[in-house]
Amino acid sequence: MRCPFCGNVDTQVKDSRPAEDHVAIRRRRFCPSCGGRFTTYERVQLRDLVVIKSSGKREDFDRDKLERSIRISMQKRPVDPERIDQMISGIVRRLESMGETDIQSPAIGEIVMEALARIDTVAYVRFASVYKNFQAADDFEDFVSELRPPILNDD
């Protein structure tokens, strides 16, 4: 593994342990050349996924991009980081097990929204506001009103 600090390709593994509910291995590494320490994760990848954007453009699926967007929606929310990691791993496993290598970006968005809705409604609304491209406060109001249970009048 190449050292991210000096580029040396001869780094050493100092510690390995299971991570993300045993679906990844976390490795602490050391570079004997510069003394840098860094962490890597090893995961099983069932297949190479390709995302088909709404514009028709194709790009390789990027787990890190998915993780960044989810973590942005979860900022300052009272959710354990380990739970977020498990959710992300679950989403990736679900995408890989769909049986298709080409996945439409709206399908990914819907799966992410479904997962976020189960964990944190604020993060769900944050993600939806970007995913559904809210333009005005009314868009938020309409979306949130769909989340609320209807008020029953007992007259």
Side-chain angles (χ1 to χ4, degrees):
M1 176 68 61
R2 182 180 305 274
C3 174
F5 307 111
C6 71
N8 179 29
V9 293
D10 188 28
T11 59
Q12 301 169 354
V13 174
K14 289 298 182 187
D15 179 50
S16 293
R17 62 179 67 169
E20 299 173 22
D21 205 24
H22 293 274
V23 297
I25 297 174
R26 176 184 182 271
R27 299 192 194 281
R28 286 294 298 154
R29 294 182 180 265
F30 171 77
C31 177
S33 178
C34 72
R37 294 179 180 271
F38 58 101
T39 301
T40 60
Y41 289 88
E42 181 180 320
R43 295 178 182 87
V44 171
Q45 182 174 335
L46 296 176
R47 58 177 44 100
D48 290 329
L49 300 175
V50 175
V51 178
I52 303 172
K53 303 290 212 170
S54 50
S55 66
K57 182 182 173 206
R58 300 166 62 88
E59 64 182 51
D60 291 338
F61 175 77
D62 184 353
R63 179 193 172 98
D64 293 334
K65 185 176 177 182
L66 173 71
E67 183 173 347
R68 277 191 307 275
S69 65
I70 290 172
R71 289 199 186 277
I72 288 169
S73 70
M74 299 291 265
Q75 276 184 336
K76 298 184 181 180
R77 299 302 304 150
V79 179
D80 182 36
E82 185 68 27
R83 183 142 187 235
I84 297 170
D85 290 338
Q86 291 171 354
M87 180 186 71
I88 293 165
S89 292
I91 291 168
V92 173
R93 277 196 308 272
R94 185 169 167 191
L95 294 171
E96 289 177 336
S97 65
M98 289 173 68
E100 299 290 325
T101 55
D102 294 352
I103 301 174
Q104 300 286 331
S105 61
I108 297 171
E110 293 298 327
I111 290 170
V112 171
M113 285 183 33
E114 184 182 304
L116 284 171
R118 287 193 304 265
I119 290 181
D120 188 273
T121 54
V122 171
Y124 170 63
V125 172
R126 286 177 178 171
F127 186 88
S129 72
V130 175
Y131 172 68
K132 294 183 178 284
N133 197 22
F134 291 178
Q135 298 295 314
D138 290 345
D139 296 336
F140 282 93
E141 193 173 305
D142 295 342
F143 186 78
V144 171
S145 69
E146 292 174 18
L147 297 177
R148 293 189 185 120
I151 299 171
L152 301 175
N153 289 331
D154 291 339
D155 291 342

